[in-house]
Amino acid sequence: MYAQPIPLSRFAPTRSHEIEKLVHETHGFISSLSEKGGPDPSDYVMLNALLQCFSGDNSKSMLSDNQFQQIRGAFGGALSPETIQGWAYHKPLGYAGDFKIIEKIYSYHISSNPHLAKWDHYSHYQTATKAIRNRISFFLDQVWKAKNQSPNNCQILNLASGPGRDMHETFSTLGAQGVQIDCVEQDHQAIKFAMNLCKNFLSHIQFFHKNVLRFTTTKTYNLIWSGGLFDYFNDSIFKRMIKRLLPSLKKNGKLIIGNFSTDNPSRGYMDLFNWNLIHRTREELRQLAKSCGVLDQNISIEQEPEGINLFLVINN
Ligand SMILES: C[S@@+](CC[C@H](N)C(=O)[O-])C[C@H]1O[C@@H](n2cnc3c(N)ncnc32)[C@H](O)[C@@H]1O
């Protein structure tokens, strides 16, 4: 059975009966995809467009919990933790964005179950997953720059280090000589995984099993990096962390904080599985730094090639 396309004119519902109709049609479209074993690439645009119209702040007021549940129900077995989207929804480790799902995204994991594989291909097609993968080369580039500035003693603090894939790729490519990375991570399973992955570089990495909110240090760093953490922090915690971290920067050091952009075209897909991030604009990120007393000239906003994972860069 082939999924029937839905006219794009239906994608801006405002009245409750229009919303109900769109939920019904979305349910039907996803059910038809599930029946044929998952979406083909030709279905991606339609599916994304449907999910995106329930995204972000709109969806919170637009859809009831029942309507969300109705749409999720259409995925059937494709919402099991065997798929990336199912893992995102069920959160087997108890929190969103755990190291296992991030590692599945980095390693382009596809379910070995042929009935589910197409759904994983769809997850990897998402702009958000591409943006996550792009974090690795962004990190590598930053380490390279920091190492150029301080070739013999480059000190890096990595907050919420997760699976450690970024460190592994960076050290495998650049070498680890002269670089020391201190990692703060709350999940001991993530630390165990990262220690194994980075086993050839452990003399250059130290792990602190701690909540970053409670981490203090007297050391100073050339680079303080955090990807995939601050978009879970509200503004007040975000600012508290900036204020706490600034004194730990060496002269000419950089504090780099990743945060997903409000332009995230995968937001509807992520919201459906309650992978809720605090999306921010470039200006909001800049203002957060300014409100911590950072001068405008010391702030820049960078991005990975998809333009979805933004990076607040504060130069000391
Ligand atoms: C989305 S992953 C990002 C991992 C890594 N930075 C990357 O970009 O590949 C988030 C990680 O942050 C960790 N984490 C979340 N909140 C934390 C906190 N308050 N303190 C320390 N680690 C935290 C989680 O355990 C998880 O491993």
Side-chain angles (χ1 to χ4, degrees):
M1 178 177 175
Y2 290 94
Q4 291 300 310
I6 297 164
L8 281 162
S9 58
R10 308 256 182 100
F11 286 175
T14 48
R15 301 203 188 99
S16 65
H17 72 273
E18 289 173 342
I19 294 168
E20 189 53 54
K21 196 165 182 217
L22 188 59
V23 168
H24 182 73
E25 287 173 341
T26 304
H27 180 277
F29 184 68
I30 295 171
S31 299
S32 68
L33 297 178
S34 296
E35 277 169 32
K36 68 169 183 154
D40 291 302
S42 55
D43 301 314
Y44 290 177
V45 170
M46 178 62 65
L47 183 53
N48 265 7
L50 279 168
L51 296 179
Q52 194 62 0
C53 66
F54 301 125
S55 81
D57 297 334
N58 284 341
S59 64
K60 298 288 177 275
S61 51
M62 200 202 280
L63 293 198
S64 65
D65 288 349
N66 267 350
Q67 287 169 321
F68 267 122
Q69 219 29 48
Q70 201 180 326
I71 296 175
R72 284 185 206 114
F75 285 86
L79 205 54
S80 94
E82 262 193 87
T83 61
I84 289 174
Q85 61 200 20
W87 190 282
Y89 178 58
H90 290 285
K91 303 176 182 53
L93 301 193
Y95 60 95
D98 63 69
F99 76 98
K100 285 198 177 176
I101 195 166
I102 297 299
E103 178 60 13
K104 280 173 196 270
I105 291 170
Y106 285 149
S107 59
Y108 213 98
H109 171 84
I110 302 287
S111 172
S112 55
N113 182 336
H115 302 295
L116 302 178
K118 281 186 179 180
W119 286 106
D120 280 341
H121 282 292
Y122 176 63
S123 296
H124 289 302
Y125 156 84
Q126 292 296 319
T127 308
T129 50
K130 291 177 193 160
I132 288 172
R133 280 191 290 273
N134 287 342
R135 279 212 288 260
I136 293 194
S137 49
F138 192 92
F139 175 73
L140 188 151
D141 194 41
Q142 298 306 326
V143 173
W144 184 76
K145 286 176 186 159
K147 201 179 162 187
N148 273 350
Q149 273 194 349
S150 183
N152 300 321
N153 180 23
C154 179
Q155 297 289 333
I156 296 172
L157 179 61
N158 182 2
L159 298 173
S161 48
R165 181 63 60 183
D166 45 7
M167 296 186 291
H168 177 266
E169 296 304 309
T170 298
F171 279 158
S172 301
T173 308
L174 301 181
Q177 182 134 19
V179 182
Q180 177 67 38
I181 306 184
D182 291 346
C183 299
V184 185
E185 169 57 57
Q186 69 174 6
D187 184 341
H188 73 276
Q189 290 189 72
I191 294 179
K192 199 170 155 203
F193 181 92
M195 285 181 80
N196 184 48
L197 182 67
C198 300
K199 54 182 177 293
N200 294 335
F201 308 111
L202 287 183
S203 55
H204 295 269
I205 305 175
Q206 193 177 3
F207 289 93
F208 296 89
H209 181 207
K210 245 188 153 34
N211 185 330
V212 299
L213 303 177
R214 286 192 267 283
F215 175 77
T216 52
T217 180
T218 51
K219 260 181 88 168
T220 54
Y221 295 92
N222 302 90
L223 171 63
I224 302 180
W225 160 265
S226 190
L229 177 67
F230 277 65
D231 14 29
Y232 296 92
F233 289 166
N234 63 30
D235 286 359
S236 151
I237 296 176
F238 197 117
K239 287 189 281 189
R240 198 189 329 150
M241 284 302 295
I242 292 183
K243 285 181 193 156
R244 168 111 56 85
L245 293 167
L246 286 176
S248 302
L249 279 179
K250 287 186 190 292
K251 191 168 166 19
N252 296 323
K254 276 186 193 177
L255 166 59
I256 305 186
I257 294 171
N259 202 116
F260 262 47
S261 159
T262 47
D263 294 335
N264 178 10
S266 308
R267 191 168 174 177
Y269 183 59
M270 294 169 75
D271 282 351
L272 184 60
F273 305 121
N274 291 337
W275 192 345
N276 300 317
L277 300 179
I278 300 179
H279 293 77
R280 292 185 168 97
T281 63
R282 295 165 159 270
E283 192 47 35
E284 283 168 344
L285 291 172
R286 184 175 286 278
Q287 284 306 327
L288 283 167
K290 282 174 82 171
S291 68
C292 295
V294 182
L295 297 178
D296 206 32
Q297 71 238 36
N298 293 336
I299 304 171
S300 57
I301 309 295
E302 298 191 21
Q303 62 182 50
E304 43 69 45
E306 296 293 334
I308 296 308
N309 204 156
L310 302 177
F311 297 93
L312 166 63
V313 181
I314 298 176
N315 289 284
N316 200 22

